[in-house]
Amino acid sequence: MSPRGDLSPLFVTLQFSATTENAGMRLDQALHEHLPEYSRARLQDWIKQERVLVNGAPARSSRVLREGDRIDVEPAELPPLRAEPEAIPLRVLYEDQHLVAIDKPAGMVVHAGAGVHTGTLVNALLSRFQSLSALGGDLRPGIVHRLDRFTSGAILVAKNDAAHRALAALFAGRQVQKTYLALVHGNLQADGRIEKPIARDPRHRTRMTARLGHGRAASTEYRVLQRFAGFTLLEVRIGTGRTHQIRVHLSSIGHPVAGDRLYGAPAKKEIRREIQPPRERFFLHAHRIRFQHPFTGQPLEIESPLPDDLRRWMEQL
């Protein structure tokens, strides 16, 4: 890939032509070879934001280049090296001098990453609370565990480093009981348990999979709460906290979470019009967290009620 642009100043559009060596190479790989000062993740962000054009048109990271392809890159301003406070409303479920539990709405990212640098839970926390644990670094202050972007519900945050260490130890020792509510496609006839290792899907890097037979051990239990025509409402408990664990495990037994297209839920056009799911939302809610308070020793149960959009969704069934 031979440059026809200049990195100075930073935001001037760059132009490259794919050479013989670049032919057959993925777009993101070729960009990273030529722009090693930027991470692969940052270059992929630019591709997703359509700041990278191939022959004048947006392209995917996986686009295979041909010799002579013209690549235009419009660099974006670098995200901050530390999270900044933003006045975003938060619903507090529990708070003491050591920790706080937040009712995270669906659509909110927990911390910066994957092209999202503002509007996160961390930005809101920094505005609401004067002090948070620093062990997670400048981009993840207070964050001990996470929820997927489109999963709502209870999430714990450490106010200081001692609380962060104590909560992390509880999670590592599987002494935190996390209970979710999930609506899945199909009719599950009985309660069950899923024990399947989870790994990154080698074909779709944004997905995880339980089909490979190897990966990180993962355990999920579910209990049937209510059955509907074509759907089942479950109470789900996880003994491990793997990426996308509940979504992957339920999909692996043929019952994907309702609305979760990434893991096999039907497209909207395949679902009855009267029960269309909310836009950009799947039915998974972190309903309850139980643990022994690491400093007082008292049992603590924090519960997040089912949000209105999911409640309305159920009323349609």
Side-chain angles (χ1 to χ4, degrees), residues 25-288:
M25 193 178 282
R26 283 172 52 113
L27 173 60
D28 56 353
Q29 293 172 334
L31 284 177
H32 193 245
E33 279 201 359
H34 189 76
L35 302 173
E37 63 269 39
Y38 299 112
S39 68
R40 177 76 62 83
R42 190 181 308 285
L43 294 172
Q44 289 173 337
D45 283 348
W46 291 349
I47 293 171
K48 291 177 183 177
Q49 296 166 18
E50 299 187 357
R51 289 179 171 273
V52 179
L53 305 180
V54 177
N55 299 326
R60 295 187 177 185
S61 295
S62 58
R63 166 72 176 266
V64 177
L65 295 178
R66 298 179 179 179
E67 184 178 359
D69 281 344
R70 189 186 81 250
I71 298 93
D72 297 289
V73 183
E74 182 185 356
E77 185 176 359
L78 302 185
L81 296 178
R82 59 183 299 129
E84 299 294 337
E86 293 180 31
I88 301 171
L90 287 176
R91 183 183 181 194
V92 176
L93 297 171
Y94 172 85
E95 182 181 2
D96 62 30
Q97 62 181 321
H98 304 289
L99 59 94
V100 62
I102 300 296
D103 198 2
K104 186 188 86 66
M108 175 180 274
V109 175
V110 172
H111 58 75
V116 179
H117 307 294
T118 60
T120 71
L121 177 63
V122 164
N123 295 126
L125 289 169
L126 289 172
S127 176
R128 176 72 177 264
F129 301 101
Q130 294 182 348
S131 177
L132 293 170
S133 164
L135 294 184
D138 289 339
L139 287 176
R140 290 182 278 187
I143 301 303
V144 182
H145 69 123
R146 292 178 290 180
L147 294 176
D148 293 344
R149 179 174 187 172
F150 295 107
T151 299
S152 55
I155 182 170
L156 295 177
V157 176
K159 284 188 169 184
N160 52 62
D161 291 355
H164 193 129
R165 293 189 187 95
L167 289 173
L170 290 179
F171 276 104
R174 300 185 183 180
Q175 298 176 57
V176 179
Q177 185 184 90
K178 293 174 286 184
T179 304
Y180 293 74
L181 297 175
L183 185 73
V184 300
H185 288 274
N187 291 311
L188 273 166
Q189 296 304 310
D191 303 344
R193 184 184 185 94
I194 306 169
E195 298 274 359
K196 295 181 181 181
I198 292 175
R200 180 74 59 182
D201 191 321
R203 294 184 178 181
H204 306 282
R205 301 300 294 174
T206 59
R207 290 167 39 113
M208 307 300 288
T209 181
R211 299 193 309 269
L212 302 180
H214 63 80
R216 304 185 70 184
S219 172
T220 303
E221 296 182 46
Y222 58 87
R223 181 169 67 91
V224 174
L225 296 180
Q226 192 172 356
R227 295 185 180 90
F228 305 90
F231 296 89
T232 307
L233 181 66
L234 303 176
E235 180 183 84
V236 183
R237 295 181 182 177
I238 56 176
T240 50
R242 309 307 180 203
T243 301
H244 299 177
Q245 177 174 324
I246 294 174
R247 301 163 62 192
V248 173
H249 268 176
L250 292 174
S251 177
S252 76
I253 62 170
H255 296 279
V257 173
D260 190 2
R261 296 286 307 283
L262 185 64
Y263 289 104
K268 285 188 175 184
K269 64 182 180 182
E270 301 172 30
I271 304 173
R272 297 202 317 268
R273 182 174 299 176
E274 65 270 22
I275 56 170
Q276 289 297 311
R279 185 173 180 269
E280 293 188 339
R281 176 74 154 110
F282 44 75
F283 201 120
L284 184 59
H285 179 68
H287 178 52
R288 186 184 303 116

